[in-house]
Amino acid sequence: MKKIPDHIAVIMDGNGRWARQRGMPRIEGHRRGAASLKEAVKTCAEIGVKYLTVYAFSTENWNRPDAEVSFLMTLFSQTIDREVEELNKNNVRLNFLGQLDRFSPDLQKKMKASMEKLAKNTGLTLNVMVNYGGRAELVDAVKKIVARGVEAKGLREEDISENLYTAGMPDPDLLVRTASEMRVSNFLLWQIAYAEIYVTDVLWPDFRREAMLDAIEAYGKRERKFGKTSEQLNDT
Ligand code: IPE
Ligand code: IPE
Ligand code: MG
């Protein structure tokens, strides 16, 4: 495969539909979705993707039934316990990004400990976005900028980028959304300015290695113009 994106962002959607299609409770879809994430990390690490950023829980997802929210919290905690060793063996760096202070003290501690444990790794960087909202992230960035006393007339785009949770990382090249939905749902609003968007019918629990490779192949065929004309791009 020729063109591998440096940074892939994924809106992991369709867990509930996957379960409903099988007459199972929604939480079974989430459980199976965790296995898809494990496979996505493995695939991306193998083929040389540098950053994988996944949407695991949005600021809006607190509006779901209490039982589902609480299952997801348990699933995050169990998945950290089960997967950190293997992520470490595979040289993966891990970030939980979002407003972590809304989680229970135990879960926050676990998230922080796992990030510290993997901080020195040099392979794939996995960003798991939790209690994440693109608008909340921008508000947090503006707060930091104001607190630093940056003057309005000197404000640059870099000031915003450098104060996002993803500071120092390149923007996503490819944004994948599973389960057919044609919307952004408050994900990475600033960072996806020039991402190539790929929407697939495949539900997240069924999104395995081949599905990821299909997305990357589709990306490879896109012409990224960044405002230029096709003629200009063909000349170089
Ligand atoms: C995505 O799957 C997982 C989370 C948002 C946590 P959904 O649970 O949104 O699945 P659908 O959209 O109901 O099928
Ligand atoms: C987006 O999926 C959030 C995550 C994947 C974590 P949703 O299923 O919550 O999005 P909407 O509400 O259908 O837009
Ligand atoms: Mg959904």
Side-chain angles (χ1 to χ4, degrees), residues 206-235:
D206 288 330
F207 191 91
R208 296 304 166 98
R209 185 183 170 85
E210 279 313 307
M212 180 65 86
L213 297 179
D214 287 349
I216 293 170
E217 192 181 327
Y219 167 83
K221 293 181 181 143
R222 302 280 179 89
E223 183 181 39
R224 302 190 78 186
K225 293 164 72 175
F226 298 104
K228 296 185 178 170
T229 68
S230 298
E231 290 73 16
Q232 283 176 300
L233 294 168
N234 291 333
D235 283 349

Side-chain angles (χ1 to χ4, degrees), residues 6-235:
D6 284 333
H7 187 168
I8 301 179
V10 185
I11 301 175
M12 308 184 289
D13 198 12
N15 295 353
R17 276 162 280 178
W18 183 91
R20 196 175 55 209
Q21 286 174 1
R22 287 161 181 77
M24 294 172 171
R26 296 177 54 83
I27 59 170
E28 288 307 320
H30 297 317
R31 212 195 293 280
R32 166 90 176 210
S36 289
L37 176 55
K38 187 178 158 109
E39 192 162 319
V41 171
K42 199 165 155 251
T43 305
C44 288
E46 263 173 38
I47 63 180
V49 172
K50 297 188 178 74
Y51 296 86
L52 175 64
T53 300
V54 298
Y55 206 2
F57 195 85
S58 73
T59 48
E60 290 73 31
N61 287 146
W62 296 106
N63 296 321
R64 294 192 176 199
D66 290 348
E68 183 172 345
V69 169
S70 111
F71 176 83
L72 285 167
M73 297 303 134
T74 305
L75 184 64
F76 295 154
S77 173
Q78 288 176 345
T79 307
I80 295 171
D81 289 342
R82 285 189 194 134
E83 299 302 333
V84 165
E85 261 333 303
E86 190 173 336
L87 290 172
N88 198 25
K89 267 189 217 140
N90 293 329
N91 198 22
V92 174
R93 205 158 35 168
L94 175 66
N95 298 309
F96 285 100
L97 304 178
Q99 293 179 339
L100 304 189
D101 56 7
R102 176 106 185 243
F103 296 118
S104 74
D106 272 1
L107 184 53
Q108 287 183 50
K109 222 184 282 170
K110 210 170 259 196
M111 286 172 169
K112 283 173 190 156
S114 64
M115 290 192 264
E116 278 162 24
K117 191 175 161 81
L118 308 190
K120 292 205 178 69
N121 288 340
T122 55
L124 176 77
T125 296
L126 171 63
N127 297 318
V128 181
M129 311 310 269
V130 284
N131 190 25
Y132 173 85
R135 288 184 171 184
E137 181 184 36
L138 283 164
V139 171
D140 282 347
V142 172
K143 282 183 188 164
K144 288 185 217 162
I145 293 166
V146 171
R148 279 213 335 262
V150 174
E151 283 210 29
K153 66 175 188 311
L155 190 70
R156 305 157 307 148
E157 291 188 3
E158 295 74 31
D159 292 310
I160 308 276
S161 303
E162 288 161 10
N163 285 288
L164 297 173
Y165 309 144
T166 53
M169 306 182 200
D171 287 339
D173 302 292
L174 170 63
L175 172 68
V176 174
R177 183 160 189 155
T178 59
S180 319
E181 240 63 81
M182 299 276 186
R183 55 178 174 260
V184 170
S185 302
N186 201 14
F187 194 42
L188 302 176
L189 297 179
W190 176 275
Q191 297 92 327
I192 61 172
Y194 254 104
E196 291 296 328
I197 299 173
Y198 177 86
V199 176
T200 172
D201 294 349
V202 177
L203 305 177
W204 179 250
D206 288 330
F207 191 91
R208 296 304 166 98
R209 185 183 170 85
E210 279 313 307
M212 180 65 86
L213 297 179
D214 287 349
I216 293 170
E217 192 181 327
Y219 167 83
K221 293 181 181 143
R222 302 280 179 89
E223 183 181 39
R224 302 190 78 186
K225 293 164 72 175
F226 298 104
K228 296 185 178 170
T229 68
S230 298
E231 290 73 16
Q232 283 176 300
L233 294 168
N234 291 333
D235 283 349

